[in-house]
Amino acid sequence: MKKSLLFVLLCAEVFAISSLSLASTAYPTVPGTADIGVSVADGDEALIPTRREVYDGGRILDISHRYTTDMPAFESDDGIGQFLWLPKSMKNGSLANNSEMKLPTHTGTHVDAPGHVFDHYFDAGFDVDTLDLEVLNGLALLVDVPRDKNITAEVMKFLNIPKGVRRVLFRTLNTDRRLMFRKEFDSSYVGFMRDGAKWLVENTDIKLVGIDYLSVAAYDDLLPSHLEFLEGREIILVEALKLDNIQPGLYNVHCLPLRLLGAEGSPIRCILIK
Ligand SMILES: *[C@@H]1O[C@H](CO)[C@@H](O)[C@H](O)[C@H]1NC(C)=O
Ligand SMILES: *[C@@H]1O[C@H](CO)[C@@H](O)[C@H](O)[C@H]1NC(C)=O
Ligand SMILES: *[C@H]1O[C@H](CO)[C@@H](O)[C@H](O)[C@H]1NC(C)=O
């Protein structure tokens, strides 16, 4: 098993090198922050908040996308639009600022629960509150997928992910194309074709499937791939991860959804720790 894991890492390395130059424009610019906050002078000092993608000298990597009005929404050209309001503000005489938010649960970096595509699971209550935190937290492999294909059974075989690997973050052409930083939804994103999803379910121990655009399923196999993954109620899908500028390899992943009773999706904060 060790030997084949090494092989995966080596393969991943090769693809990483080819994608490195494309991804290197991602930082230090922090997309989506231009319209948030203005630097305010407080006495002599300017108050400028820090926004980061990595913490502790690179040990902790934030792989969640920042929620912004211009982030893409599924099948929309307009982005997610306004999602925050400030019904109580200090400027308006309130003691504190209290904002409200409204957004679809499958927005930005998010998780899918079995009720997403199975109505009887939804009715039975298989919501995001029932997802296994052990699956969502632990050793994870970040792999680079060949850039010229969707994730088919053939691609899954080629990736040769060893038995025993339970969490895999699939980095694809979506990251190189910076699709999550574009307001317009793009249906040509890379995702799992049905046979790729089925192959993963039948031939691997993977229980957490992470991907770098709004859906793990390719647009052409949207429902079939979701059905393959979620039918067994063991696999957790984490979508729209931000995987730019990270070396492929093993990390500890930590993903925590909100405990939304009755919801088949939830925004999720995911980080990697080296
Ligand atoms: C301030 O309060 C008024 C009255 O409740 C409301 O109409 C207005 O929208 C508020 N303005 C802001 C900036 O919250
Ligand atoms: C992946 O599939 C989508 C349709 O779901 C297609 O538009 C796209 O070109 C495919 N990507 C690659 C790299 O084959
Ligand atoms: C909170 O209130 C302050 C002062 O009224 C205002 O400048 C600020 O914009 C408010 N906070 C947010 C998050 O809008």
Side-chain angles (χ1 to χ4, degrees):
M1 176 190 145
K2 274 219 176 104
K3 209 170 167 189
S4 50
L5 177 61
L6 190 65
F7 176 73
V8 169
L9 296 177
L10 285 175
C11 282
E13 202 77 47
V14 170
F15 290 114
I17 289 163
S18 59
S19 65
L20 208 61
S21 55
L22 285 161
S24 65
T25 50
Y27 307 122
T29 46
V30 182
T33 50
D35 57 344
I36 304 167
V38 283
S39 58
V40 177
D42 180 23
D44 289 340
E45 272 180 84
L47 290 177
I48 304 171
T50 316
R51 295 185 200 278
R52 302 188 253 181
E53 309 304 322
V54 298
Y55 296 79
D56 196 18
R59 193 178 65 88
I60 302 174
L61 308 160
D62 196 336
I63 55 167
S64 325
H65 278 281
R66 176 178 293 105
Y67 286 84
T68 74
T69 53
D70 282 350
M71 81 192 309
F74 206 77
E75 294 183 327
S76 162
D77 280 339
D78 304 324
I80 70 171
Q82 184 175 8
F83 60 97
L84 270 184
W85 289 262
L86 193 62
K88 287 190 181 170
S89 76
M90 296 170 76
K91 283 207 178 67
N92 222 6
S94 291
L95 278 178
N97 294 321
N98 284 282
S99 48
E100 284 180 4
M101 68 175 180
K102 183 178 177 192
L103 79 179
T105 54
H106 301 263
T107 303
T109 308
H110 70 277
V111 70
D112 285 355
H116 187 34
V117 288
F118 287 95
D119 215 24
H120 62 293
Y121 289 165
F122 188 94
D123 292 344
F126 290 99
D127 59 25
V128 289
D129 187 43
T130 67
L131 296 176
D132 189 344
L133 288 183
E134 190 276 329
V135 172
L136 287 162
N137 294 271
L139 265 191
L141 187 63
L142 170 66
V143 295
D144 272 293
V145 172
R147 297 310 203 233
D148 59 342
K149 292 186 186 73
N150 277 287
I151 310 176
T152 56
E154 184 199 348
V155 168
M156 280 304 301
K157 271 184 230 167
F158 170 80
L159 287 174
N160 197 21
I161 294 162
K163 284 272 184 188
V165 173
R166 300 183 62 237
R167 304 171 194 85
V168 178
L169 313 181
F170 293 89
R171 179 165 55 191
T172 75
L173 185 62
N174 303 334
T175 293
D176 304 347
R177 295 178 69 202
R178 294 179 61 72
L179 292 187
M180 278 304 294
F181 295 111
R182 290 194 204 164
K183 183 158 104 171
E184 298 78 21
F185 173 74
D186 189 331
S187 65
S188 72
Y189 67 88
V190 164
F192 278 83
M193 301 304 286
R194 183 185 174 197
D195 67 325
K198 189 173 158 66
W199 198 91
L200 181 149
V201 171
E202 290 174 357
N203 299 286
T204 75
D205 294 324
I206 300 169
K207 299 297 175 228
L208 184 152
V209 178
I211 200 146
D212 50 4
Y213 198 52
L214 291 164
S215 169
V216 293
Y219 196 68
D220 285 350
D221 263 357
L222 203 51
L223 198 58
S225 294
H226 273 94
L227 293 173
E228 293 289 347
F229 281 133
L230 294 177
E231 184 169 23
R233 301 198 312 267
E234 283 192 332
I235 290 176
I236 302 181
L237 305 177
V238 180
E239 295 161 324
L241 287 166
K242 180 171 68 63
L243 301 176
D244 313 55
N245 290 5
I246 304 176
Q247 289 298 314
L250 275 176
Y251 296 86
N252 271 302
V253 71
H254 295 281
C255 285
L256 299 172
L258 302 177
R259 302 190 69 171
L260 301 172
L261 191 71
E264 78 304 321
S266 166
I268 194 166
R269 187 71 180 262
C270 290
I271 61 171
L272 295 181
I273 301 186
K274 279 186 187 163

Coordinates of all heavy atoms in Angstrom, one line a residue, residues 88-97:
K88 N -30.2 46.3 12.1 CA -29.9 47.1 13.3 C -28.4 47.6 13.2 O -27.5 46.8 13.2 CB -30.0 46.3 14.6 CG -31.4 45.9 15.0 CD -31.4 45.3 16.3 CE -32.9 45.0 16.7 NZ -33.0 44.2 17.9
S89 N -28.3 48.9 13.2 CA -26.9 49.5 13.0 C -26.7 50.5 14.1 O -27.6 51.2 14.5 CB -26.7 50.0 11.6 OG -27.4 51.3 11.5
M90 N -25.5 50.7 14.5 CA -25.1 51.7 15.5 C -25.3 53.1 14.9 O -25.7 54.0 15.6 CB -23.6 51.4 15.9 CG -23.5 50.1 16.6 SD -21.8 49.7 16.9 CE -21.4 50.7 18.2
K91 N -25.1 53.2 13.6 CA -25.3 54.5 13.0 C -26.7 54.9 13.1 O -27.0 56.1 13.1 CB -24.9 54.4 11.5 CG -23.5 54.4 11.2 CD -23.2 55.0 9.8 CE -21.7 55.0 9.6 NZ -21.0 53.7 9.5
N92 N -27.6 53.9 13.3 CA -29.0 54.2 13.3 C -29.5 54.1 14.7 O -30.7 53.9 15.0 CB -29.8 53.2 12.4 CG -30.8 53.9 11.6 OD1 -31.0 55.1 11.7 ND2 -31.6 53.1 10.9
G93 N -28.7 54.2 15.7 CA -29.1 54.3 17.1 C -29.1 53.0 17.8 O -29.5 53.0 19.0
S94 N -28.8 51.9 17.2 CA -28.8 50.6 18.0 C -27.6 50.5 18.8 O -26.5 51.1 18.5 CB -28.9 49.4 17.0 OG -30.1 49.4 16.4
L95 N -27.6 49.7 19.9 CA -26.5 49.5 20.7 C -25.4 48.8 20.0 O -24.2 48.9 20.4 CB -26.9 48.7 22.0 CG -27.6 49.5 23.1 CD1 -28.0 48.5 24.2 CD2 -26.6 50.6 23.6
A96 N -25.7 48.0 19.1 CA -24.7 47.2 18.3 C -25.2 47.0 16.9 O -26.3 47.2 16.6 CB -24.6 45.8 19.0
N97 N -24.3 46.5 16.1 CA -24.6 46.2 14.7 C -25.1 44.7 14.7 O -24.4 43.8 15.2 CB -23.4 46.3 13.8 CG -22.9 47.7 13.7 OD1 -23.7 48.6 13.6 ND2 -21.6 47.9 13.7

